[in-house]
Amino acid sequence: MQHLNSILIGYRVALGIHDIAEPFDFWNPGTQGDFSEWLWQRLGRHSSLGWATEIERDAERLGRPGMEMFFELLDEFRTSNHQLRDESETSIRVREEAQQPLASD
């Protein structure tokens, strides 16, 4: 069951060893992180076993590879996260433009 978790930890360690700066939304030591919070909302549950175990359990139940399911969820998270960020930036920009004085003659 810990196969997915082990692979992702190894990937994270390799990034650090090679000084590769890459968004790592799904694992931040000591914190739940944005991905896990999003995933718990997406799945409608929480688990003390962690998100990797829950993804593997769901994948096994559905007869799918856990890693494939993880990357599909990560893509969905990043898409929804970018959409929220874009909407937020647009909202801020509109408010800033509304606060600027109009050019007078």
Side-chain angles (χ1 to χ4, degrees):
M1 278 273 199
Q2 294 294 10
H3 188 258
L4 175 63
N5 203 24
S6 298
I7 290 172
L8 295 174
I9 289 171
Y11 182 70
R12 176 69 173 149
V13 169
L15 289 174
I17 288 172
H18 296 285
D19 278 337
I20 298 171
E22 178 178 309
F24 209 73
D25 303 316
F26 48 88
W27 186 54
N28 297 308
T31 65
Q32 278 290 312
D34 292 340
F35 176 73
S36 59
E37 290 299 321
W38 173 86
L39 184 65
W40 297 137
Q41 288 181 350
R42 165 84 166 58
L43 298 178
R45 67 180 187 266
H46 283 76
S47 171
S48 60
L49 299 175
W51 56 263
T53 300
E54 291 303 320
I55 290 172
E56 286 184 334
R57 284 182 169 187
D58 284 354
E60 186 177 326
R61 192 180 82 251
L62 297 170
R64 298 185 56 210
M67 196 59 107
E68 179 182 298
M69 190 172 201
F70 163 73
F71 279 109
E72 287 173 5
L73 289 164
L74 183 62
D75 287 344
E76 185 179 332
F77 164 75
R78 287 182 172 166
T79 298
S80 69
N81 200 26
H82 287 298
Q83 287 173 346
L84 291 174
R85 197 174 308 134
D86 290 347
E87 289 170 8
S88 177
E89 289 173 3
T90 300
S91 176
I92 291 169
R93 202 173 323 113
V94 167
R95 274 187 266 137
E96 287 173 349
E97 289 172 0
Q99 291 175 352
Q100 300 215 352
L102 296 174
S104 57
D105 295 29

